Amino acid sequence: MRLENTGIAGTLESSDVMVTVSPNPSSGIDIQIDSAVSAQYGDEMRETVQAVMREFDITDAVVQLQDKGALDCVIRARCETAACRALGVGFNWKGEK
Amino acid sequence: MMERKPSLKRTSLYVSGTSPVNMIQAGFYNEDCMVFDMEDSVPLAEKDAARLLIYHMIRDHRPAGKYIIIRVNGIYSEYIDEDLEAAVRAKPDAIRIPKVEYANEVKMIDEKITAIEKEAGIEEGSIELWCNIESYLGVLNAYEIASASPRVVALALGAEDFTASMKAQRTKGGQEIFYARNAVLMACRKAGVEAVDAVFSDINDLEGLKADTTLTKNLGFDGKTVVHPRQIDVVNSFFTPSAKEIKYAQRVLEAVEEGKRLKKGAVTLDGGMIDKPMELRAYTTLAQARAAGINV
């Protein structure tokens, strides 16, 4: 699925992450990470972003993370919120067990 | 009916659903209950984000040793159904419902929770309910609300909205909520659920908090809602049981154990029958003593 709109979620406060999910003029998921710990946790952050994009069936997007030391569960929550906002849909709770 | 485990409810600290750092920090304070808030502390444009943040924080980063509560938005708000979908699936200990005024509202929420529990494969009835009593109608119907569902384990008085509903002025002395405090307490005692007192709003007035909590404790409340970490230790200190209370609780539990051993249907102590709420209160008293560092 290609995006038509941009979705933003999160803040620049400590322990949070601001996630921007926007249309990608090229193809694929382009992940851009700005984080003090990207050397240590960049791969995990990318995995989380990819998992959320798969969850939403988004195939082409630019995903920017401005990370302030967020836990993985916060990154996931912010990515899901940004994805919902970009797609203009509510979260599918029925899929959560 | 599901067997409820007793748990300490001396202090319940609100944590906004907007702030990861507040959620993480709150796990390190001494409050018994953490209330992840989807309601008043969350701007309308952030309700979707708060739901997902609370859900993932509780599922993946649940603080150990805390009783976890989620306060959802109002029963008649446009957010309630999605809030419940997220809240139930997060599997907190309890969901806190704001501004409950009638028993049928509790039944309606209970049915919605049950449906989600079934769908998500969660044990039915496992999630408890706290009902916020925040209006004169809630106070008048407190007993019916407290006994509307076996899920209800506590009523919590909300003084600000209550005084607004009464056209009263909120004061530090609290004369305007004295009747409401007693009415809610009596309803809780009759229904066998716990009573949680209102917030003391001035976070910089610790002497005022002590005076207010003295009344909270003397009236008979089981705990108090707090809005700032600095209030936690002050309030907890008021709920340290006396040696006499500890001894009585131990005698109650000894009598219950003896009754079980002898396969007695009814157990008595000092000529009076011990019922389930008495047994739960005895567990709570001993838990309060242990939390205060008393060896029991």
Side-chain angles (χ1 to χ4, degrees):
Chain A
M1 187 188 296
R2 292 185 70 85
L3 294 175
E4 300 295 329
N5 297 303
T6 295
I8 302 173
T11 70
L12 297 177
E13 287 178 15
S14 175
S15 302
D16 205 346
V17 58
M18 184 175 277
V19 177
T20 305
V21 177
S22 50
N24 186 355
S26 306
S27 61
I29 306 295
D30 177 6
I31 302 170
Q32 300 166 6
I33 298 174
D34 174 9
S35 170
V37 293
S38 59
Q40 292 91 340
Y41 298 108
D43 288 347
E44 286 88 342
M45 290 180 188
R46 287 174 196 281
E47 274 178 33
T48 300
V49 171
Q50 291 287 5
V52 173
M53 294 303 112
R54 280 196 299 274
E55 187 184 319
F56 284 85
D57 202 20
I58 296 172
T59 52
D60 306 292
V62 176
V63 184
Q64 294 169 298
L65 270 64
Q66 290 174 270
D67 173 53
K68 298 296 171 184
L71 295 168
D72 183 63
C73 58
V74 175
I75 295 171
R76 176 172 283 275
R78 296 315 195 190
C79 284
E80 287 176 345
T81 305
C84 283
R85 288 175 177 179
L87 293 167
V89 299
F91 187 74
N92 176 23
W93 290 104
K94 308 289 181 199
E96 298 292 315
K97 294 289 181 191
Chain B
M1 185 176 147
M2 180 156 226
E3 184 82 6
R4 300 281 175 211
K5 284 190 211 151
S7 60
L8 282 179
K9 298 183 178 67
R10 297 172 303 174
T11 37
S12 45
L13 175 69
Y14 275 120
V15 184
S16 174
T18 60
S19 172
V21 70
N22 285 357
M23 292 180 188
I24 294 164
Q25 286 173 344
F28 295 99
Y29 303 127
N30 293 323
E31 79 280 12
D32 294 327
C33 313
M34 264 176 80
V35 189
F36 290 82
D37 186 32
M38 294 180 177
E39 198 206 14
D40 286 349
S41 68
V42 179
L44 298 184
E46 291 297 316
K47 297 291 186 190
D48 57 342
R51 242 176 246 130
L52 279 161
L53 188 57
I54 290 171
Y55 171 76
H56 284 296
M57 285 294 282
I58 295 176
R59 288 291 293 252
D60 301 337
H61 199 71
R62 187 177 184 127
K66 305 283 184 201
Y67 181 96
I68 301 297
I69 305 172
I70 298 173
R71 179 169 73 168
V72 293
N73 284 282
I75 299 162
Y76 302 107
S77 74
E78 63 184 284
Y79 309 109
I80 185 66
D81 286 344
E82 206 173 343
D83 283 0
L84 289 174
E85 291 282 356
V88 172
R89 287 175 161 81
K91 300 182 195 167
D93 293 295
I95 291 173
R96 193 158 169 164
I97 311 292
K99 206 171 274 185
V100 181
E101 296 189 316
Y102 297 101
N104 64 6
E105 294 172 336
V106 179
K107 289 177 180 151
M108 180 177 77
I109 294 294
D110 183 342
E111 284 169 14
K112 288 184 178 190
I113 292 174
T114 302
I116 300 166
E117 282 174 339
K118 271 186 193 167
E119 197 176 77
I122 298 167
E123 186 181 1
E124 282 178 46
S126 58
I127 295 172
E128 299 179 340
L129 280 178
W130 287 33
C131 298
N132 281 12
I133 303 298
E134 302 179 84
S135 68
Y136 66 86
L137 270 172
V139 172
L140 290 171
N141 295 325
Y143 172 68
E144 287 75 16
I145 291 167
S147 50
S149 159
R151 289 185 194 271
V152 179
V153 297
L155 298 188
L157 181 64
E160 306 302 326
D161 286 336
F162 169 75
T163 46
S165 82
M166 292 291 290
K167 299 184 181 175
Q169 292 297 316
R170 186 78 177 101
T171 67
K172 281 194 178 176
Q175 294 94 330
E176 69 284 354
I177 61 167
F178 187 69
Y179 174 77
R181 280 172 151 163
N182 283 284
V184 167
L185 260 166
M186 284 187 273
C188 289
R189 293 295 167 256
K190 187 178 176 191
V193 305
E194 296 197 69
V196 178
D197 196 18
V199 162
F200 182 78
S201 303
D202 186 346
I203 60 171
N204 294 315
D205 181 4
L206 292 183
E207 288 308 310
L209 175 65
K210 286 177 189 171
D212 194 54
T213 313
T214 300
L215 186 58
T216 300
K217 169 68 178 167
N218 289 348
L219 286 174
F221 279 97
D222 301 292
K224 194 170 180 67
T225 303
V226 295
V227 286
H228 193 278
R230 75 172 58 144
Q231 297 183 319
I232 295 168
D233 288 341
V234 173
V235 174
N236 278 349
S237 70
F238 281 84
F239 290 93
T240 301
S242 67
K244 190 177 168 186
E245 289 169 324
I246 293 168
K247 182 70 190 161
Y248 182 72
Q250 287 171 328
R251 291 182 64 223
V252 167
L253 296 180
E254 281 163 12
V256 169
E257 283 308 308
E258 180 70 1
K260 280 183 191 164
R261 196 176 62 80
L262 298 174
K263 297 187 170 41
K264 282 185 179 174
V267 181
T268 60
L269 180 67
D270 302 334
M273 201 176 86
I274 297 173
D275 57 12
K276 198 68 189 170
M278 279 176 73
E279 184 185 341
L280 289 178
R281 272 202 296 281
Y283 278 116
T284 302
T285 300
L286 297 188
Q288 286 175 343
R290 284 187 207 103
I294 299 169
N295 193 13
V296 292

